[in-house]
């Protein structure tokens, strides 16, 4: 709804073909029409060289997927620890992949996909060690029903998301 050109990746080419055929996406039991600015793909190469890449995958998939990405700013929407290192996703991206902390951001907050799809107002935090990156992440995602606050504590954002699920 914000007009950004978006490429979404799914590892299963059959699932991509089905969504393209039905022109719908099911999120938390809600079917929504695919927006015209959304391109679906099963090829990670189609997601390379983006200005922003949002990784909304289980932490266990980071070591398989993230090394294949090339992006200016990497935004994590992942809650959990990367399986091969035991690190938070952003710590993994920095220490294992060499991505500068200034190019990393995490979005976290008490939110559910179903609320976002239904237009229920929610808020999250975009956190980065770089204020400009946090601000860009917030501007990228903020919309009518989504308020995005900024923070300079990405580790706190990651750990807060992990610990809230445990508690």
């Amino acid at each position: 709804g914000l007009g950004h050109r978006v490429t979404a990746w799914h590892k299963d080419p059959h699932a991509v073909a089905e969504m393209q055929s039905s022109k719908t996406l099911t999120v938390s039991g809600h079917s929504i029409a695919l927006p015209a600015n959304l391109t679906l793909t099963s090829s990670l190469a189609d997601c390379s060289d983006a200005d922003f890449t949002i990784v909304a995958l289980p932490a266990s998939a980071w070591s398989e997927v993230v090394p294949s990405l090339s992006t200016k700013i990497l935004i994590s929407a992942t809650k959990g620890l990367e399986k091969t290192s035991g690190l938070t996703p952003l710590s993994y991206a920095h220490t294992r992949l060499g991505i500068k902390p200034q190019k990393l951001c995490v979005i976290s907050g008490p939110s559910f996909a179903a609320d976002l799809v239904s237009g229920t107002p929610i808020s999250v935090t975009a956190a980065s060690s770089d204020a400009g990156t946090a601000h860009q992440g917030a501007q990228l995602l903020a919309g009518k029903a989504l308020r995005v606050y900024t923070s300079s504590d990405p580790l706190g954002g990651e750990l807060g998301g992990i610990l809230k699920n445990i508690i």
Side-chain angles (χ1 to χ4, degrees):
L2 300 176
H4 302 297
R5 200 177 76 229
V6 176
T7 301
W9 172 80
H10 191 291
K11 67 180 179 180
D12 182 355
H14 299 293
V16 170
E18 185 177 310
M19 287 183 274
Q20 288 170 328
S21 173
S22 69
K23 298 193 184 329
T24 61
L25 174 66
T26 302
V27 177
S28 298
H30 296 273
S31 288
I32 57 173
L34 293 178
N37 61 327
L38 176 65
T39 301
L40 300 173
T41 184
S42 60
S43 171
L44 270 178
D46 294 341
C47 299
S48 290
D49 300 320
D51 290 333
F52 299 91
T53 299
I54 301 171
V55 179
L57 296 170
S60 60
W62 272 60
S63 62
E64 298 167 32
V65 175
V66 177
S68 301
L69 299 173
S70 171
T71 186
K72 293 177 185 160
I73 295 179
L74 180 69
I75 301 174
S76 170
T78 298
K79 293 178 181 149
L81 299 175
E82 194 280 320
K83 70 179 180 180
T84 64
S85 64
L87 297 170
T88 65
L90 295 189
S91 293
Y92 170 80
H94 173 61
T95 61
R96 298 290 171 95
L97 304 178
I99 301 173
K100 295 178 182 178
Q102 302 86 342
K103 300 299 179 186
L104 297 170
C105 184
V106 60
I107 54 171
S108 186
S111 59
F112 297 98
D115 290 336
L116 185 62
V117 170
S118 68
T120 301
I122 58 174
S123 62
V124 296
T125 299
S128 176
S129 62
D130 182 84
T133 298
H135 181 73
Q136 287 179 341
Q139 279 190 314
L140 177 74
L141 299 168
K144 289 185 274 184
L146 178 60
R147 177 167 286 174
V148 185
Y149 296 93
T150 60
S151 168
S152 61
D153 184 12
L155 181 59
E158 288 182 300
L159 293 177
I162 292 168
L163 296 173
K164 105 166 166 54
N165 286 349
I166 294 170
I167 293 170

